[in-house]
Amino acid sequence: MTRKQKQLSFLPEAKREKFQPPWEQARSLEELEQIVSDCRSCRLRDSCRQVVFGEGNSKAEIMLVGEGPGRAEDEIGRPFVGAAGELLDKIFSAAGLQRAEVFICNVVKCRPPGNRLPTPDEVRACLPYLRAQLRIIKPKIVISLGALASQTLIDPSVRITRDRGRWISKDGLLIMPTFHPAALLRDPKKKKPVWDDIQAVMRRYEQMKG
Ligand code: URA
């Protein structure tokens, strides 16, 4: 529950809804996507082509969260379709996971110009949408890809090189921080640790499925 929701929790539901922003009222991903596609909360929407909401199974037990759309994602409107996405697909298929089984999205839904890191205020502006995606999908496991996603979902003090591969429980989620696939393209030595992390996720996922 957000601080705002707690503050309003004494009100009857009908009254509470009047104070709730539309993304907190959205009951489906389709409804939420419509709201996010109209967003103008930060400057990123002025320079990108389109909002990249995310895609996949609306009841996914595993959700992957990256940083923000790159050039290919901005052109096509889907997450992880460029070189990093191709590598992610290879990792999925080696692990026996279908892309359609999971939900994939990013911390920020609009491409930062020149693929720069999203600024803290851009992350803050977009975070309610990621929270709403988590509330609607209710994944059991979240894989945070890279430092920005891990720091956003877990804690700003996360250091990805130190903390990857360790399960973190936060807000009812089980989070596995790992390296971003783009980092593996730059440094193939990171492939093995990521493979270990994905294997740990698969073991936990299989246990959950019983
Ligand atoms: N990098 C990301 O973090 N997300 C994408 O969707 C593509 C590349």
Side-chain angles (χ1 to χ4, degrees), residues 98-199:
Q98 308 288 328
R99 194 169 159 129
E101 219 173 320
V102 301
F103 191 87
I104 310 182
C105 65
N106 286 297
V107 172
V108 296
K109 314 301 188 208
C110 292
R111 181 191 183 207
N115 291 352
R116 67 161 167 75
L117 210 61
T119 61
D121 60 315
E122 290 158 357
V123 170
R124 257 194 311 278
C126 220
L127 194 53
Y129 304 139
L130 177 58
R131 290 214 177 100
Q133 288 174 315
L134 289 163
R135 172 180 57 75
I136 293 169
I137 298 167
K138 296 187 183 57
K140 300 227 168 68
I141 295 172
V142 176
I143 306 175
S144 54
L145 299 167
L148 184 103
S150 303
Q151 288 163 350
T152 304
L153 285 165
I154 301 167
D155 190 87
S157 67
V158 167
R159 294 291 164 264
I160 195 66
T161 309
R162 180 191 65 196
D163 298 324
R164 60 138 280 276
R166 294 194 214 159
W167 287 109
I168 307 283
S169 286
K170 176 126 193 258
D171 302 331
L173 296 171
L174 203 47
I175 306 173
M176 173 56 80
T178 194
F179 291 124
H180 191 287
L184 310 195
L185 294 171
R186 291 189 296 267
D187 177 8
K189 283 202 293 293
K190 293 195 165 80
K191 285 185 181 174
K192 168 77 172 72
V194 168
W195 180 242
D196 292 343
D197 301 345
I198 298 297
Q199 294 286 92

Side-chain angles (χ1 to χ4, degrees), residues 3 12 20 34-35 47 54 62 68 74-75 86 107 119 130 135 139 145 148 158 160 166 169 183 187 202-203 209:
R3 192 151 56 97
Q20 269 183 334
Q34 189 58 51
I35 294 161
S47 56
I62 301 180
D74 186 46
E75 269 168 24
E86 279 171 22
V107 172
T119 61
L130 177 58
R135 172 180 57 75
L145 299 167
L148 184 103
V158 167
I160 195 66
R166 294 194 214 159
S169 286
D187 177 8
M202 292 309 290
R203 280 194 297 274
K209 287 202 293 186

Side-chain angles (χ1 to χ4, degrees), residues 52 65-70 73 78-82 84-85 104-106 145 180 182:
V52 181
V65 181
E67 192 174 291
E73 291 75 20
R78 297 176 51 213
F80 283 100
V81 289
I104 310 182
C105 65
N106 286 297
L145 299 167
H180 191 287

Side-chain angles (χ1 to χ4, degrees), residues 26-63:
R27 292 284 156 255
S28 67
L29 287 178
E30 291 73 21
E31 243 182 89
L32 182 63
E33 183 165 9
Q34 189 58 51
I35 294 161
V36 180
S37 67
D38 290 337
C39 178
R40 292 268 158 193
S41 298
C42 81
R43 65 187 88 78
L44 291 182
R45 186 67 188 91
D46 298 333
S47 56
C48 76
R49 285 199 188 185
Q50 55 188 319
V51 173
V52 181
F53 178 74
E55 66 179 18
N57 183 347
S58 61
K59 296 191 172 76
E61 304 213 325
I62 301 180
M63 183 159 154

